[in-house]
Amino acid sequence: EAGVTQSPTHLIKTRGQQATLRCSPISGHTSVYWYQQALGLGLQFLLWYDEGEERNRGNFPPRFSGRQFPNYSSELNVNALELEDSALYLCASSLGTAPYNEQFFGPGTRLTVL
Amino acid sequence: DAKTTQPNSMESNEEEPVHLPCNHSTISGTDYIHWYRQLPSQGPEYVIHGLTSNVNNRMASLAIAEDRKSSTLILHRATLRDAAVYYCILRDRRAGNNRKLIWGLGTSLAVNP
């Protein structure tokens, strides 16, 4: 069974541009989570989607947004990129919203803002 | 939002047991305790979770204090592959709850051959 996939693997943008990151969850998983991991730091929770709806949002500005499609895949958009947005962006999926369900992580998208 | 506190780093020798502590003094009665680990250059992977009772699986054991304000992840025999950052996080068991998922910095475990 295929795991969580993310694309692209690497993304290089300049300050002020927009970035779009994509995530495909494990088949049958309805919940998708987005995290930011800056170099040397822990995971910072960004967004949580389930059944197409935003369920929760971390402490990030509105220029970080996303959506979940009917096939449960998800997209993270970062507008007006800033240098400090450079980080590894991780997507995870889980089977529903129950808190005992483990999250399965993808390999991440490395975003570099120049 | 409940937070967890972990030591920044720990060190162990191969084949020896490792006890990774986590403090969660503000845990609520509805929080599950989860542990994940992140190997170098990889996304995190699930290790174990529990609510009140101690738990065992093929990867590790989780010992939960009686008052639930702390827990310990136990690796019975550390291997070089266990070198990773270990995260202890809390997840509210109330379905659909909107509590934020707080991961913290985790504990970086080094395993010496």
Side-chain angles (χ1 to χ4, degrees):
Chain A
E1 179 181 325
V4 176
T5 60
Q6 292 186 244
S7 63
T9 305
H10 294 87
L11 188 59
I12 299 175
K13 294 284 186 178
T14 56
R15 196 167 44 181
Q17 285 188 313
Q18 181 207 27
T20 298
L21 288 64
R22 296 179 177 83
C23 172
S24 291
I26 290 173
S27 177
H29 286 192
T30 61
S31 272
V32 171
Y33 308 79
W34 286 96
Y35 294 90
Q36 181 196 66
Q37 186 172 35
L39 192 62
L41 298 182
L43 279 72
Q44 302 295 313
F45 168 68
L46 265 166
L47 290 160
W48 170 19
Y49 291 97
D50 183 72
E51 296 283 1
E53 294 187 7
E54 183 179 302
R55 288 300 197 104
N56 204 346
R57 181 182 179 86
N59 296 323
F60 281 83
R63 58 190 186 84
F64 286 84
S65 65
R67 55 180 171 167
Q68 186 178 33
F69 300 99
N71 67 354
Y72 303 119
S73 67
S74 177
E75 198 173 83
L76 174 69
N77 294 294
V78 187
N79 294 321
L81 284 165
E82 299 178 2
L83 296 179
E84 53 264 35
D85 296 334
S86 294
L88 180 67
Y89 288 83
L90 292 160
C91 169
S93 73
S94 70
L95 189 64
T97 61
Y100 46 77
N101 287 331
E102 65 181 277
Q103 296 181 24
F104 294 83
F105 283 80
T109 293
R110 173 74 62 186
L111 172 65
T112 302
V113 183
L114 303 175
Chain B
D1 297 311
K3 292 174 64 174
T4 62
T5 304
Q6 300 176 253
N8 290 334
S9 62
M10 291 184 65
E11 198 170 325
S12 175
N13 294 320
E14 203 174 6
E15 301 295 313
E16 290 183 356
V18 182
H19 291 232
L20 297 162
C22 180
N23 286 319
H24 27 79
S25 59
T26 59
I27 191 171
S28 79
T30 55
D31 284 330
Y32 277 89
I33 303 162
H34 285 246
W35 283 81
Y36 284 76
R37 71 180 185 182
Q38 187 172 21
L39 301 172
S41 302
Q42 294 186 29
E45 63 177 356
Y46 168 82
V47 177
I48 200 167
H49 78 271
L51 185 62
T52 56
S53 304
N54 294 344
V55 184
N56 299 295
N57 66 19
R58 64 176 179 79
M59 289 181 71
S61 296
L62 177 60
I64 301 173
E66 197 169 330
D67 63 5
R68 302 208 327 127
K69 295 188 175 183
S70 65
S71 61
T72 302
L73 179 70
I74 303 166
L75 307 179
H76 295 287
R77 293 179 65 189
T79 69
L80 297 178
R81 193 191 175 278
D82 292 323
V85 177
Y86 287 79
Y87 295 95
C88 166
I89 64 170
L90 303 179
R91 293 204 65 190
D92 196 313
R93 69 173 173 175
R94 288 170 291 181
N97 187 274
N98 287 327
R99 292 179 71 177
K100 296 184 183 355
L101 305 175
I102 301 175
W103 280 64
L105 296 177
T107 296
S108 179
L109 175 66
V111 180
N112 302 315

